[in-house]
Amino acid sequence: MPEMTESQIFDQFAQIVARSLRIGAEQVTPDAELTDLGAESLDLIEISMETESQFHIFLPDKSILETAVEVFGSGILEKDGYLTEEGKRLLLCRMPETDAQAFEGAVSVKDLQRYFLRVNPWVRMIQGLARYTPAECAACGGPMAASMGFRMKCTRCGAEITLRSGEDLNREWVREYHEREYLPRAGAAVPMAAHPS
Ligand SMILES: [Zn+2]
């Protein structure tokens, strides 16, 4: 696809949500939570699948926090159901400054789940993933079209590529953050286990 702007993605995503929940698209505002608009778990699955097929992307099953906890180990990013300062720091690297107030004070993992149910974080996730979906064939420059099972196929020469999964991309980002941002600080003087923030 030619790269879409955030507002084009927003409009198209709002249509998906509105159709799926049988509500007016004008109700789908950037700050609305999908669950407040009436989405239950089956609706969320439908919205995810429709989003994947319309934008040619492969959404992650796990949240960025779940993937990060797998890389960091437990007790560093979240403790007793709440984000630690280290956890907030990682998440703030992933979101725009305008959303920073969502991470002030005590933030539970549940608060975070609700944050990710808002329309705007979805739009940004879609935009981030769509960058990895090629519009043109690397071999011949022909236009790519969706193929079966998260693949794209060149309509001219037939070359196929597999889309990168959102989860792999998240894991890659977390690993890089862990190595570049976290380890130099945490590993410097204090052993990791004895270092609460
Ligand atoms: Zn081609």
Side-chain angles (χ1 to χ4, degrees), residues 115-151:
Y115 169 82
F116 283 120
L117 283 170
R118 280 160 56 176
V119 170
N120 243 355
W122 272 75
V123 169
R124 283 195 301 270
M125 174 171 69
I126 294 166
Q127 191 175 29
L129 289 173
R131 286 197 193 103
Y132 293 92
T133 303
E136 290 179 352
C137 174
C140 78
M144 301 294 280
S147 183
M148 307 259 289
F150 298 110
R151 287 207 298 270

Side-chain angles (χ1 to χ4, degrees), residues 8-27:
Q8 289 171 320
I9 293 174
F10 174 85
D11 289 342
Q12 195 170 338
F13 181 67
Q15 292 294 334
I16 292 173
V17 172
R19 210 172 311 128
S20 181
L21 301 179
R22 296 181 182 82
I23 58 174
E26 74 287 349
Q27 285 179 258

Side-chain angles (χ1 to χ4, degrees), residues 68-129:
V69 166
E70 287 174 5
V71 172
F72 276 70
S74 62
I76 297 172
L77 302 172
E78 40 81 41
K79 217 165 195 170
D80 306 323
Y82 282 85
L83 293 180
T84 61
E85 288 308 309
E86 200 61 65
K88 286 185 192 177
R89 193 194 292 250
L90 176 138
L91 288 160
L92 282 170
C93 271
R94 290 279 294 204
M95 47 203 56
E97 272 173 42
T98 45
D99 284 1
Q101 85 274 8
F103 294 88
E104 281 165 14
V107 181
S108 69
V109 174
K110 280 213 168 72
D111 294 333
L112 185 68
Q113 285 162 353
R114 272 201 300 278
Y115 169 82
F116 283 120
L117 283 170
R118 280 160 56 176
V119 170
N120 243 355
W122 272 75
V123 169
R124 283 195 301 270
M125 174 171 69
I126 294 166
Q127 191 175 29
L129 289 173

Side-chain angles (χ1 to χ4, degrees), residues 136-144 153-160:
E136 290 179 352
C137 174
C140 78
M144 301 294 280
K153 189 173 185 173
C154 173
T155 54
R156 197 181 293 160
C157 76
E160 277 198 323

